[in-house]
Amino acid sequence: MTSIAPHIAVLIPTYNNASSLGQVLKDVLSYTQHVIVVNDGSTDTTTEILDQFPTVQRVAYTRNRGKGIALRRGFKYALQQGYEYVITIDADGQHFASDLQVFLDKLQTEKNAILIGARNLHQENMPGKNSFANKFSNFWFYVETGMKAADTQSGYRLYPLNLISPIPFWCTRYEFEVEVLVRSAWRGIKIDWVPVQVYYPPAEERVSHFRPFQDFSRISVLNTVLVLITFLYIKPRDFIRFLFKKESWRWLWKEVLLNPGESNGKKALSIGLGIFMGIVPIWGFQMLVALLLATLFKLNKALVLIAANISIPPLIPVIVFLSLMVGRIWIGNDATFVIFSKHLSQEAVKQNILQYIYGSVTLAVAAGVTFGLVTYVLLAIFRKQKHG
C-alpha cells in the first residue's frame, strides 16, 4: 500500500459532486489521512457527506467561485498547515487513488517539478470534446513555453507549494489549470508528466461542470493574453539572459552552428529567415510565424528563433528608424519623417505608416539575405577548417 509522507496532502476541490465524492474520499483515505477538501459553494448534500469523514480537513465558503479559486485557497490552506506538496484529484471519480504511487515514485527524482497525470486520450468513452480541447491546449502551451505536453488539462497533479506560492495568478475557473502551468514554466519551474489511468462513465452518468462555450472562451482569451506576453516579454527576456551566458555562446557555436547534422545552406536559410521575421512588420506575431515557417520548411528552429530576436526591445527603435529611412527610397519626394516633425496631421501619419511598411519589408529582405549569405560563407570556412 502507498505510504504518503506527512508533508504531502491530497487536495480535492469539489462543487456539487455528491454522487461521487463519498467514494473518492474512501479510496483516497485508504492511502493517506492527509486529505483536504475545498467545498466550492456546493448546494447539494456535499456538507452531509463530508460530515461522515471527520478526519478530512475542510475549506468551505458559500458562493461558488470556480475551480481556480478552490485550488488557490486549497494551496494557501495547505501551506498554513505545513504541507510542502499537494496532489490534486478531481471529485468526479475519474481518477484512481491507486495512481498516487506514480506521483510519489516520480517525486523521488523530481522534487522541484509540477507533475501532471497524463491520461490515455484515445481510450473508450473519452468524450470527443475533451480530446479536442486537450490538443488545443497542448498546442498553445507549446507556443507559450516551447515545451511539448502530453496532457495540459488533467486535474490529477502534484504541486510543489513553496515554488508556486510566490506567483500571482489571475484566473478563477478551469482556465487556471492552464495559467499555473504556463506561468510556472516562465519562472523556470520544471513541468513533467506521469502516466495515470482515467475512468469516463457513460454519457448518461457523467457529471461535469465544464461549460463548453463559456469556459472554452475564457481559455481562448487567456491563451491570447499569454501568447502576447510570450512574444512581447518572455521571449525577449529569455534571449537577453541567453546572451549573457558564456555556455550559451559555446552551445550555439559548437552544437548548433558547427554541428555536422545539417548543411551549411539549411543553417544559413534558418538564420536568414529568423532575421527576416524579426524585422518584418507583424509585431507581436513574429515569433509565432517564424516558428510555423521553420516547421513548414524543416529548418533549424533554434537558429530561426534566436535570429528572430533581433527585434528585442533595445533594438526596436533602431529597426524602426532604419525602416523609415529605407522607406524613403520607395516614397520618393513624398517621404516624411513624422517623429521629427512639429506639425502632425492624419495624412502625415498615414504617409509615415506606408513609408515604414515599405521600408521594413525591404530592410527585412535585405538583412535576411545578407545575414544568410554571411552565415553561409563563415560556416563554409570554419567547418572546412574543423574537418580539414
Side-chain angles (χ1 to χ4, degrees):
M1 179 181 291
T2 300
S3 177
I4 297 183
H7 63 287
I8 304 172
V10 175
L11 175 62
I12 307 174
T14 185
Y15 172 64
N16 288 351
N17 294 115
S19 61
S20 55
L21 178 60
Q23 187 58 52
V24 170
L25 287 172
K26 288 179 183 177
D27 292 342
V28 173
L29 287 168
S30 67
Y31 293 93
T32 178
Q33 294 299 305
H34 299 277
V35 180
I36 303 168
V37 173
V38 181
N39 184 358
D40 185 24
S42 297
T43 57
D44 58 4
T45 58
T46 291
T47 301
E48 288 79 1
I49 292 172
L50 290 174
D51 288 340
Q52 301 172 25
F53 301 91
T55 62
V56 170
Q57 302 171 69
R58 301 193 210 181
V59 177
Y61 38 92
T62 56
R63 183 167 68 91
N64 175 250
R65 299 294 303 277
K67 189 176 184 182
I69 292 293
L71 288 171
R72 287 159 60 181
R73 292 191 177 183
F75 295 161
K76 182 178 180 180
Y77 176 85
L79 270 171
Q80 292 171 344
Q81 303 309 306
Y83 293 108
E84 298 176 18
Y85 302 90
V86 293
I87 300 176
T88 61
I89 185 170
D90 291 342
D92 57 8
Q94 292 183 8
H95 303 144
F96 290 80
S98 56
D99 281 328
L100 290 169
Q101 184 64 53
V102 179
F103 289 94
L104 299 178
D105 290 343
K106 190 70 172 182
L107 186 60
Q108 299 303 310
T109 56
E110 297 290 352
K111 296 187 182 299
N112 296 308
I114 294 176
L115 305 179
I116 306 172
R119 302 162 295 176
N120 178 5
L121 300 178
H122 304 287
Q123 72 177 61
E124 186 179 359
N125 283 337
M126 166 65 79
K129 65 178 185 294
N130 287 43
S131 181
F132 169 78
N134 197 58
K135 290 177 181 178
F136 178 87
S137 181
N138 291 352
F139 169 77
W140 287 113
F141 180 74
Y142 176 70
V143 171
E144 292 150 5
T145 67
M147 298 173 58
K148 292 187 177 181
D151 189 346
T152 54
Q153 294 202 314
S154 171
Y156 209 171
R157 303 179 176 190
L158 181 144
Y159 291 99
L161 295 175
N162 291 321
L163 292 182
I164 66 170
S165 60
I167 304 175
F169 296 109
W170 313 317
C171 298
T172 61
R173 296 190 179 275
Y174 283 100
E175 70 275 13
F176 169 78
E177 291 185 308
V178 174
E179 181 194 14
V180 68
L181 296 185
V182 174
R183 300 189 71 188
S184 295
W186 288 350
R187 292 276 184 120
I189 300 173
K190 184 175 181 179
I191 314 292
D192 209 342
W193 285 263
V194 295
V196 297
Q197 308 169 76
V198 63
Y199 169 69
Y200 278 103
E204 63 275 8
E205 299 177 15
R206 210 169 285 151
V207 177
S208 174
H209 301 297
F210 185 85
R211 303 163 299 173
F213 178 77
Q214 296 96 321
D215 290 318
F216 192 75
S217 296
R218 293 168 73 98
I219 292 172
S220 298
V221 170
L222 172 65
N223 278 315
T224 300
V225 173
L226 293 177
V227 167
L228 288 174
I229 295 174
T230 296
F231 292 109
L232 293 178
Y233 172 67
I234 298 298
K235 294 294 184 182
R237 179 204 69 180
D238 291 345
F239 184 67
I240 291 172
R241 290 177 178 176
F242 173 89
L243 292 178
F244 286 92
K245 295 179 180 178
K246 288 184 179 179
E247 58 269 23
S248 298
W249 289 99
R250 194 177 298 115
W251 167 82
L252 178 62
W253 181 250
K254 292 184 178 179
E255 302 299 328
V256 178
L257 283 171
L258 297 183
N259 191 302
E262 289 177 329
S263 67
N264 292 346
K266 178 172 285 190
K267 291 178 186 292
L269 282 173
S270 300
I271 289 180
L273 174 64
I275 295 293
F276 172 83
M277 291 308 309
I279 298 174
V280 76
I282 52 173
W283 301 102
F285 298 94
Q286 291 162 310
M287 293 295 183
L288 175 59
V289 176
L291 182 62
L292 293 175
L293 290 176
T295 303
L296 177 64
F297 295 113
K298 297 180 179 179
L299 298 178
N300 187 308
K301 297 183 184 68
L303 288 178
V304 170
L305 293 177
I306 289 171
N309 277 284
I310 192 174
S311 60
I312 59 177
L315 292 179
I316 289 176
V318 177
I319 292 173
V320 172
F321 174 80
L322 291 175
S323 296
L324 286 168
M325 296 302 293
V326 173
R328 293 170 70 91
I329 299 172
W330 299 102
I331 302 300
N333 294 331
D334 294 327
T336 59
F337 213 165
V338 73
I339 62 175
F340 292 138
S341 175
K342 295 181 180 180
H343 305 287
L344 297 180
S345 66
Q346 184 176 355
E347 186 61 30
V349 172
K350 179 180 178 181
Q351 192 69 29
N352 270 265
I353 291 175
L354 289 174
Q355 184 175 325
Y356 165 70
I357 292 175
Y358 291 157
S360 61
V361 172
T362 305
L363 181 64
V365 172
V369 171
T370 301
F371 275 85
L373 287 175
V374 170
T375 300
Y376 183 84
V377 171
L378 291 175
L379 285 175
I381 294 172
F382 283 103
R383 295 178 88 180
K384 184 177 180 179
Q385 290 178 353
K386 182 179 180 182
H387 298 288

